[in-house]
Amino acid sequence: MTMTTNIILLGPPGAGKGTQARRLVEERGLVQLSTGDMLREARSSNSEMGKVVADVMDKGQLVTDEIVIGLIREKLETTEAPGFIFDGFPRTLAQADALGDLLTGMGQQIDVVIEMQVDDAALVDRISGRFTCGNCGEVYHDTTRPTEKPGVCDVCGSTDLKRRADDNAESLKTRLLEYYKKTSPLIGYYYAQGRLQSLNGLADIEEVAGRMGQIVDAAVSA
Ligand code: AP5
């Protein structure tokens, strides 16, 4: 096996996957692979695939396995990295099987799957207060993580702060249902493989980051 660190962040919409993935990138030099970000990029580039997925995403439904597995395959084949953080992927059992096969083909494996547990009421709060920097992707929240200077990104100074089209109550309901129906079976799937660790995603951002760091350290040294 090559010495790499591959981590899956698993959790419902708004659990804090993107927030923590960005910290792991900064602290450990890993590469974040967010299928949500890849699909949003495809949308904004107006590509054929972007047009196909836009409506599905706005409704809060899952994009087809074929499309997202294709996106991940391409990134894995073209990116040199000491390891990957999979954020929002896999989301179905078919995606999980495909990821396992892709990594095995590269002589790698998933080191740890971190399940971020957050209750539904908190998710509604988080999603409705979220905004992100359109330039560097930093994630903020109206009350729990506002920018230091109103309207200006702390990280890159951009004033292009945006809210997502799918961050509304109707779409969130569908996203949660999709999570419970199609993604939550992955908790048992990875538990059975001995790779699952769970943490309390309701704790504040620093506390979650600290616990996540301990889990990753333990997985890497195992
Ligand atoms: P995607 O972009 O992956 O969205 P998601 O899974 O719904 O997750 P979010 O990005 O909403 O939340 P997050 O967990 O990253 O939370 P964040 O850190 O931002 O997917 C979007 C769509 O793309 C899907 O609906 C689907 O259509 C499609 N798609 C993507 N991947 C797919 C796949 N594999 N298969 C099929 N379709 C796919 O935090 C949320 C807010 O909370 C922020 O404001 C943040 O500041 C705040 N916050 C974070 N942590 C804390 C904390 N500890 N305490 C207080 N506030 C916090």
Side-chain angles (χ1 to χ4, degrees):
M1 278 295 157
T2 330
M3 284 308 288
T4 49
T5 307
N6 293 314
I7 303 163
I8 294 175
L9 299 186
L10 190 61
K17 303 180 295 294
T19 300
Q20 297 298 335
R22 291 178 66 82
R23 293 186 63 129
L24 288 169
V25 168
E26 243 173 67
E27 290 161 10
R28 297 177 188 255
L30 303 175
V31 170
Q32 176 186 8
L33 294 183
S34 156
T35 38
D37 287 348
M38 292 175 207
L39 291 165
R40 279 184 287 278
E41 203 181 302
R43 282 182 74 151
S44 60
S45 72
N46 236 349
S47 65
E48 275 314 303
M49 193 247 284
K51 287 180 203 152
V52 172
V53 301
D55 185 46
V56 177
M57 291 177 79
D58 287 351
K59 285 187 184 143
Q61 294 162 349
L62 291 189
V63 170
T64 62
D65 288 338
E66 194 190 354
I67 288 179
V68 287
I69 291 167
L71 287 170
I72 287 287
R73 180 184 296 115
E74 192 191 331
K75 289 284 180 193
L76 289 178
E77 285 171 358
T78 55
T79 313
E80 282 285 322
F84 296 98
I85 305 154
F86 296 93
D87 160 13
F89 181 91
R91 261 174 151 98
T92 62
L93 291 167
Q95 292 178 24
D97 281 341
L99 177 61
D101 291 346
L102 283 168
L103 289 175
T104 302
M106 294 163 66
Q108 297 187 31
Q109 63 177 3
I110 295 295
D111 294 284
V112 65
V113 179
I114 305 177
E115 182 211 356
M116 305 178 72
Q117 297 175 331
V118 177
D119 62 45
D120 292 356
L123 297 175
V124 175
D125 260 15
R126 287 191 184 179
I127 293 283
S128 50
R130 170 171 53 190
F131 58 98
T132 50
C133 174
N135 182 47
C136 73
E138 191 65 10
V139 185
Y140 296 97
H141 188 276
D142 292 330
T143 51
T144 58
R145 193 168 184 272
T147 53
E148 278 167 24
K149 216 161 125 194
V152 182
C153 175
D154 297 350
V155 176
C156 71
S158 168
T159 52
D160 181 21
L161 301 175
K162 298 178 171 171
R163 290 188 195 266
R164 271 169 45 179
D166 58 344
D167 278 352
N168 59 71
E170 195 50 38
S171 162
L172 179 60
K173 224 190 300 170
T174 310
R175 283 158 69 194
L176 276 172
L177 272 174
E178 291 280 79
Y179 177 78
Y180 291 120
K181 275 196 294 195
K182 298 175 185 166
T183 308
S184 64
L186 297 184
I187 296 169
Y189 175 96
Y190 286 118
Y191 174 80
Q193 293 182 9
R195 300 181 206 275
L196 188 79
Q197 293 288 334
S198 303
L199 59 72
N200 174 18
L202 280 170
D204 70 35
I205 292 174
E206 292 307 317
E207 230 177 297
V208 175
R211 179 70 193 117
M212 198 167 272
Q214 290 169 352
I215 291 174
V216 173
D217 286 341
V220 170
S221 61

